[in-house]
Amino acid sequence: MRNVLSFVLVLTMSGLVFGFAGGDGSSSAPYQVSTVADIDAIDAEPDASYIMINDIDLVGITYDKAPIGALMFDEESEPIGTAFEGTFDGAGYVIKNLSVTDTEARAAGLFGTVSSSAVVQNLGIEGASVSANSNAGSLVGNTTGSIFNCYLSYTPGDPNNSVVGTVCVGGLIGVASTGANVTDCWAETDVTGESQVGGLIGQSRESITNCYAISRVKATIGTDAYAGGLIGLQFSGTVSDCYATGKVTATGIRIGGLVGQLGYTSTTGSTIDNCYATGDVKYTGITTGISYVGGLVGLAGLGDISDCYATGDVDGGTGQRAGGLVAQTNKLVENCYATGSVSGLNTIGGVVAITGDTPAKVKNCYATGTVTGDATVGGVAGLRYRGGIYECFWDTETSGTTVGVGSGGGEATGKTTAEMKTKSTFTDAGWPFDFNNPWLMPQITPEFEGYPVLAWQVGLSMCDFNQDGIVDMADFVVFSGEWLSEAY
């Protein structure tokens, strides 16, 4: 008991010795954080409120555990240390040159563990080198709390820009556990691990909103692993209004430009909507068996995907099942498209490699990228094993194939490039182009090239009555003609 009391007393006294620039730790008057000593003193009152009043540079300091909330467990699973339970407001300031090297902790970053009652917000990290065994992220190792408007920036050529671990490794967050709320966050760094490796989050069990990653992701050594440009494993919850642009390479068999695997068990389904990925995805393993490599998602085991697209090239290497958007879906893929090239051993598709279980449905999707493989190759899908493919299209000229579905059939229609840039091709098939529906035909510009795009990509205006992505006199003509109709 004396040792415990002494430990608490030392921490409390250290906080008093270090002092803060102001505040009393309440929500109305948070402690003002301005120095390295202030960062080190936070664990003395982990449930207090804090606010930064200037940038803090940690150059020359290497922590052997998280500076804040370094909750660990001993061999008997007894807790050592404490989680952060308060509020930390970066107020738009940054922590520079963070360095944490910890081979023992279960959670490492600037914050080790952030509890369900805690909030970390408005904080930037510029330059971070974090190495830990598991649950590693530059900002936080494991959170059940709220993370708002936080980021990690990358300086090319600076060695102090990487997050490395074994399992649950993310550019910003190692694990977003049940109860977490992650909104308006981003990361730019190199992320390396063996399983559940993501440009922003290693593993997520909650909804992620309006986030992005431009990190380079590598998952090495592990074979039964998950790697994604944004999230390695989206265990449950929704990913919405997010994107990833970094390259993903992995020896693991569930690899996606945005998410490695979507959904995990029959009770933990997940969804992705209004998202995209532009980075190349490459499988670097040596298996000639089943792998799941997709431009957006590797394996959508129990997750729906809607209103999304992927433009990166997908290289399935020596493995099977590579798709421009998704390698395998067991549920719904609707109103999506893919434009990257897709290659692999066999079961290769411009949109999906394979529709898996009976509920699987691929509807109102198209692809334009080249598809190549030794067998079971299709402009839309490699194999319709179960489920269905409905009202889907592929460009027969750019894809290099006249086969829509390599095996199993489905409603996949090949069109020339000119026909793919004609609105009636899609409206005749029942695609929704009405106002407030997902699709529109933009003006032919270098960005969109005349193919259908998703309305959210161009910020559709209420005055864009002809749905071409711009507002001009042509919209007035439509409006005038429909003045007395029920449509407007």
Side-chain angles (χ1 to χ4, degrees):
M1 179 63 70
R2 176 179 296 178
N3 290 337
V4 174
L5 290 174
S6 298
F7 178 69
V8 173
L9 181 61
V10 168
L11 285 177
T12 304
M13 290 180 63
S14 65
L16 293 172
V17 172
F18 289 144
F20 292 96
D24 59 16
S26 65
S27 58
S28 60
Y31 285 128
Q32 296 178 4
V33 178
S34 62
T35 66
V36 175
D38 293 342
I39 293 291
D40 294 338
I42 290 174
D43 273 356
E45 292 186 65
D47 58 350
S49 294
Y50 300 86
I51 187 169
M52 289 178 63
I53 59 172
N54 53 250
D55 296 343
I56 299 176
D57 196 340
L58 303 178
V59 66
I61 302 171
T62 297
Y63 291 93
D64 61 3
K65 61 181 180 180
I68 306 169
L71 178 63
M72 299 175 59
F73 294 86
D74 62 20
E75 295 180 356
E76 285 74 38
S77 297
E78 292 296 323
I80 302 174
T82 184
F84 180 70
E85 301 174 344
T87 298
F88 189 98
D89 188 348
Y93 293 106
V94 300
I95 300 290
K96 299 181 180 180
N97 300 304
L98 172 69
S99 179
V100 181
T101 300
D102 188 344
T103 59
E104 297 181 3
R106 295 179 60 180
L110 177 65
F111 294 81
T113 299
V114 172
S115 74
S116 59
S117 60
V119 176
V120 179
Q121 61 187 2
N122 307 321
L123 175 62
I125 298 177
E126 293 184 356
S129 176
V130 177
S131 178
N133 184 38
S134 62
N135 297 13
S138 61
L139 181 70
V140 57
N142 186 358
T143 180
T144 54
S146 298
I147 311 295
F148 301 134
N149 193 33
C150 294
Y151 70 87
L152 167 67
S153 65
Y154 177 91
T155 303
D158 186 344
N160 201 36
N161 276 296
S162 65
V163 181
V164 180
T166 302
V167 61
C168 297
V169 187
L172 197 72
I173 300 169
V175 177
S177 298
T178 303
N181 184 351
V182 181
T183 305
D184 297 330
C185 293
W186 61 273
E188 181 183 18
T189 188
D190 292 332
V191 187
T192 304
E194 295 185 17
S195 182
Q196 301 183 50
V197 185
L200 186 79
I201 304 171
Q203 180 197 112
S204 170
R205 292 173 177 257
E206 284 292 349
S207 295
I208 309 300
T209 307
N210 199 33
C211 294
Y212 68 91
I214 44 183
S215 305
R216 294 181 296 181
V217 177
K218 296 182 180 180
T220 60
I221 303 175
T223 55
D224 188 21
Y226 314 83
L230 188 78
I231 302 166
L233 171 61
Q234 182 65 26
F235 196 95
S236 55
T238 297
V239 183
S240 59
D241 301 307
C242 295
Y243 68 89
T245 63
K247 184 176 182 178
V248 183
T249 60
T251 58
I253 60 174
R254 299 172 181 88
I255 315 165
L258 189 80
V259 175
Q261 179 165 322
L262 181 66
Y264 191 71
T265 70
S266 60
T267 59
T268 59
S270 188
T271 60
I272 296 178
D273 59 72
N274 290 25
C275 294
Y276 70 91
T278 63
D280 295 341
V281 183
K282 185 175 183 179
Y283 171 63
T284 57
I286 60 174
T287 181
T288 56
I290 295 173
S291 57
Y292 306 92
V293 189
L296 189 81
V297 177
L299 175 61
L302 290 156
D304 294 339
I305 301 171
S306 62
D307 301 353
C308 296
Y309 70 90
T311 62
D313 294 336
V314 179
D315 183 354
T318 60
Q320 303 175 32
R321 301 185 185 178
L325 191 82
V326 184
Q328 178 171 324
T329 177
N330 294 338
K331 293 193 72 179
L332 175 68
V333 177
E334 185 174 27
N335 296 322
C336 296
Y337 70 89
T339 62
S341 65
V342 190
S343 62
L345 187 64
N346 66 54
T347 315
I348 311 299
V351 177
V352 301
I354 179 174
T355 60
D357 293 339
T358 301
K361 178 187 291 187
V362 180
K363 184 178 181 180
N364 294 356
C365 296
Y366 78 85
T368 63
T370 58
V371 287
T372 55
D374 292 344
T376 322
V377 178
V380 170
L383 172 63
R384 186 196 69 81
Y385 176 61
R386 292 176 178 170
I389 298 171
Y390 307 96
E391 292 90 40
C392 292
F393 295 87
W394 86 98
D395 190 320
T396 56
E397 295 181 79
T398 59
S399 66
T401 182
T402 57
V403 177
V405 181
S407 179
E411 297 176 18
T413 304
K415 295 290 185 179
T416 65
T417 299
E419 290 171 325
M420 291 287 290
K421 297 180 179 182
T422 303
K423 185 175 181 179
S424 60
T425 294
F426 305 95
T427 55
D428 288 349
W431 281 36
F433 278 80
D434 296 332
F435 198 79
N436 288 331
N437 276 311
W439 293 104
L440 65 84
M441 256 3 235
Q443 296 284 60
I444 297 177
T445 65
E447 181 180 3
F448 296 120
E449 300 181 347
Y451 291 100
V453 298
L454 297 163
W456 62 261
Q457 291 181 248
V458 297
L460 190 63
S461 169
M462 290 292 290
C463 297
D464 187 9
F465 294 103
N466 67 350
Q467 307 284 285
D468 65 354
I470 61 173
V471 176
D472 55 15
M473 286 302 296
D475 298 296
F476 180 74
V477 172
V478 175
F479 174 74
S480 299
E482 299 292 336
W483 179 260
L484 298 177
S485 74
E486 295 180 359
Y488 300 100

